[in-house]
Amino acid sequence: MNMYKTNCAPVRHASPVDRLASELFGRDISHFFGSDDHFTRSARVNIVERKEDFQVQVLAPGFNKEDLKLNVEGDVLTITGEHKATEMAEGERFTRREFSAASFKRSFTLPKTVKSDAMSATYEAGVLTVSIPKAEEAKPQTRTIEIR
């Protein structure tokens, strides 16, 4: 299946300054400055090809089913997840905050050999599974050939 991430490109090489900053502060230094900003990351994905379909498995722990959205526009499947931070009651404050709002967005180009109008999705134990059925012509055909 020719599906690829379209919303960002991987970083290949880090500069010496970037490596030094990572060694001193870790990859995300927002905690050093006490930031509780909206946290964005790319969800991890497995793509499995089976005889009848493709499965896109998206690791999305901490999200509710209502936080996840799937959209197909043309031949592009976009999966987004977003959940808001919990509101504090009057008189409450965080003394430590290690999780808050989070979001992700992944986009994939669907091959012409799938039935995008027959897709289905389930969400269980923090994993969103999207089933994308193959069109009949894309399924492996098995036949017996007579020997003469």
Side-chain angles (χ1 to χ4, degrees), residues 36-47:
D36 280 335
D37 289 341
H38 185 12
F39 186 69
T40 303
R41 74 178 109 186
S42 182
R44 303 286 187 217
V45 175
N46 291 334
I47 299 174

Side-chain angles (χ1 to χ4, degrees), residues 45-61:
V45 175
N46 291 334
I47 299 174
V48 178
E49 182 175 5
R50 302 185 315 175
K51 183 178 179 182
E52 300 290 322
D53 65 358
F54 292 98
Q55 278 193 342
V56 179
Q57 302 163 341
V58 182
L59 186 61

